[in-house]
Amino acid sequence: MARFTLPRDLYFGDNSMEELKVLKGHKKAFVVTGGSSMKKNGFLQKLENVLKDAGLEVMLFEGVEPDPSVETVFRGAEAMRKFEPDVIVAIGGGSPIDAAKAMWVFYEHPEKTFDDIKDPFTMPKLRQKAIFVAVPSTSGTATEVTAFSVITDYSTKVKYPLADFEITPDIAVLDGTIAQTMPKTLTAHTGMDAMTHAIEAYVASARSDFSDPLALKAISMIYENLVDSYNGDKEARGKMHIAQCLAGMAFSNALLGIVHSLAHKVGAQYEVPHGCCNAIMLPFVIQFNSKVCMNRFADIARTMGLPGATDKQLTNSLVAAIRELNRKVGIAASYKEHGVPEELFKSTLDFVCENAVKDPCTGANPRACTVEDLKKVLTCSYYGEDVTF
């Protein structure tokens, strides 16, 4: 038996945050956010006003860092236990939303440890104390509709992708006005994160007839709109906010692959943003995985309108198109070109790949992988050399 899970309600369009008046009847909202951008642009105050107008008492938890830590999660959970909210609202990029998801678990189950939940689908039942609302500000992670949360253990420099349908939000709000405030580099990185989600979902071992059309639609929308969005086109920026959500719906149910397995480990070691890690890695993983699912990559290339008469030609066109897309949005073609020191790459290669092979995303990759396979793929992505096996 398979499963397909999404938030119960998704509100979208400009100023859709106002629809959170549906929370009327709840008592307390604990709002989690990141740095200063949501406050600076007025969205945090707008959210507070909507919640207060609906009759909720509001408490803010600000300052969640990029790549949120285990310590931040437990600090937030403790604050929740003192406030006792019946609604948790996370607003901002993937980091505050991911952090709030994990806080939610420890708010409702203070007896649990991080080790208790870091393996896939080991979460306890939630919604005994609160429901969860996600308001994303970036167009990439799609955590507002997914069963995932990425939390970093800085003591070991390992990112843990928590996975369980329990942490799929109850309500997602895709307010297009928020997405308009993203800077160019963030637009590029989050956009390529979304493209990676959609491509990996389409070839993942858990894909289905429900996830496939979402993945393909997301891919075509991202390919058509990312460059224009990067260059400031408002309509394209709005379409990217929808496309990344479609990609999230697909991968939350179909799962991902070794682009993400490696990126989860590389990001913490190299201090490269997650979406950038994915973008650099994606063409090399397509080459590696094409040995077992070239027909699926050919489907993607046809959807994008790329040239080629055979599956091989179409897959080559796909690799070339991803590389060109990266170039147009200012993303390097390799980790070396990005500026990762060769000494750092060599000294962490074994550690990264030994941990990546155990990452939950590896199990859904269409091609079975060993540590040596991952080392070859990562080496190719570091030096910018085609994967030929």
Side-chain angles (χ1 to χ4, degrees), residues 137-140 179-194 222 225-233 236-237 240 329 331:
S137 64
T138 59
S139 303
Q180 298 295 336
T181 63
M182 286 191 299
K184 288 188 75 169
T185 299
L186 186 60
T187 300
H189 292 173
T190 56
M192 288 307 299
D193 190 19
I222 294 165
N225 290 285
L226 178 55
V227 174
D228 288 341
S229 176
Y230 174 76
N231 289 322
D233 184 274
R237 185 71 60 87
M240 281 297 302
V329 297
I331 295 174

Side-chain angles (χ1 to χ4, degrees), residues 200-232:
E200 288 210 292
Y202 191 71
V203 300
S205 61
R207 66 185 184 267
S208 72
D209 289 338
F210 294 96
S211 61
D212 280 354
L214 291 166
L216 289 177
K217 180 63 174 178
I219 289 165
S220 63
M221 288 182 70
I222 294 165
Y223 188 57
E224 291 168 8
N225 290 285
L226 178 55
V227 174
D228 288 341
S229 176
Y230 174 76
N231 289 322

Side-chain angles (χ1 to χ4, degrees), residues 113-125:
T113 68
F114 190 74
D115 283 345
D116 290 333
I117 69 165
K118 70 183 183 182
D119 292 332
F121 304 102
T122 57
M123 299 270 184
K125 287 289 182 183

Side-chain angles (χ1 to χ4, degrees), residues 84-112:
E84 297 184 334
D86 55 354
V87 180
I88 299 164
V89 185
I91 181 170
S95 295
I97 299 176
D98 280 4
K101 287 180 175 181
M103 292 173 191
W104 183 23
V105 178
F106 297 113
Y107 165 51
E108 299 213 2
H109 295 275
E111 76 283 0
K112 294 292 184 181

Side-chain angles (χ1 to χ4, degrees), residues 157 159 260-272 277 281 335 340 352 356 378 381:
K157 290 193 173 182
K159 287 186 178 183
H260 274 78
S261 300
L262 287 164
H264 289 150
K265 314 312 172 189
V266 163
Q269 293 293 327
Y270 297 174
E271 297 183 355
V272 177
C277 283
M281 199 93 63
Y335 286 115
V340 175
V352 163
L378 185 53
S381 67

Side-chain angles (χ1 to χ4, degrees), residues 67-351:
D67 301 319
S69 66
V70 176
E71 290 77 15
T72 295
V73 167
F74 281 110
R75 186 164 52 87
E78 177 62 24
M80 285 182 186
R81 287 194 290 271
K82 290 178 180 177
F83 184 62
E84 297 184 334
D86 55 354
V87 180
I88 299 164
V89 185
I91 181 170
S95 295
I97 299 176
D98 280 4
K101 287 180 175 181
M103 292 173 191
W104 183 23
V105 178
F106 297 113
Y107 165 51
E108 299 213 2
H109 295 275
E111 76 283 0
K112 294 292 184 181
T113 68
F114 190 74
D115 283 345
D116 290 333
I117 69 165
K118 70 183 183 182
D119 292 332
F121 304 102
T122 57
M123 299 270 184
K125 287 289 182 183
L126 299 179
R127 297 170 180 82
Q128 308 305 307
K129 296 180 180 179
I131 63 169
F132 193 96
V133 179
V135 186
S137 64
T138 59
S139 303
T141 70
T143 187
E144 73 275 4
V145 294
T146 75
F148 294 90
S149 165
V150 179
I151 304 298
T152 302
D153 184 343
Y154 284 95
S155 67
T156 58
K157 290 193 173 182
V158 174
K159 287 186 178 183
Y160 290 97
L162 309 180
D164 199 293
F165 289 117
E166 284 297 317
I167 58 172
T168 302
D170 299 282
I171 298 173
V173 179
L174 292 171
D175 192 324
T177 58
I178 302 178
Q180 298 295 336
T181 63
M182 286 191 299
K184 288 188 75 169
T185 299
L186 186 60
T187 300
H189 292 173
T190 56
M192 288 307 299
D193 190 19
M195 178 64 95
T196 306
H197 290 157
I199 290 176
E200 288 210 292
Y202 191 71
V203 300
S205 61
R207 66 185 184 267
S208 72
D209 289 338
F210 294 96
S211 61
D212 280 354
L214 291 166
L216 289 177
K217 180 63 174 178
I219 289 165
S220 63
M221 288 182 70
I222 294 165
Y223 188 57
E224 291 168 8
N225 290 285
L226 178 55
V227 174
D228 288 341
S229 176
Y230 174 76
N231 289 322
D233 184 274
K234 289 186 176 181
E235 183 178 357
R237 185 71 60 87
K239 288 182 178 179
M240 281 297 302
H241 210 44
I242 300 298
Q244 64 87 31
C245 186
L246 297 175
M249 293 177 181
F251 91 77
S252 185
N253 292 278
L255 306 180
L256 293 164
I258 61 169
V259 177
H260 274 78
S261 300
L262 287 164
H264 289 150
K265 314 312 172 189
V266 163
Q269 293 293 327
Y270 297 174
E271 297 183 355
V272 177
H274 174 72
C276 185
C277 283
N278 283 338
I280 292 171
M281 199 93 63
L282 181 57
F284 304 97
V285 172
I286 291 173
Q287 290 176 327
F288 174 79
N289 282 336
S290 66
K291 184 174 182 178
V292 299
C293 59
M294 191 176 290
N295 62 317
R296 302 288 291 185
F297 290 126
D299 286 345
I300 292 171
R302 292 187 191 97
T303 296
M304 293 166 64
L306 301 178
T310 67
D311 286 355
K312 177 67 172 176
Q313 291 171 345
L314 286 161
T315 300
N316 288 342
S317 290
L318 175 60
V319 169
I322 296 299
R323 286 174 170 162
E324 178 64 8
L325 194 55
N326 280 340
R327 187 192 66 77
K328 287 181 177 179
V329 297
I331 295 174
S334 67
Y335 286 115
K336 186 174 184 180
E337 183 180 310
H338 182 82
V340 175
E342 190 168 21
E343 182 179 341
L344 176 61
F345 162 71
K346 289 181 176 179
S347 67
T348 58
L349 178 62
D350 288 347
F351 178 83

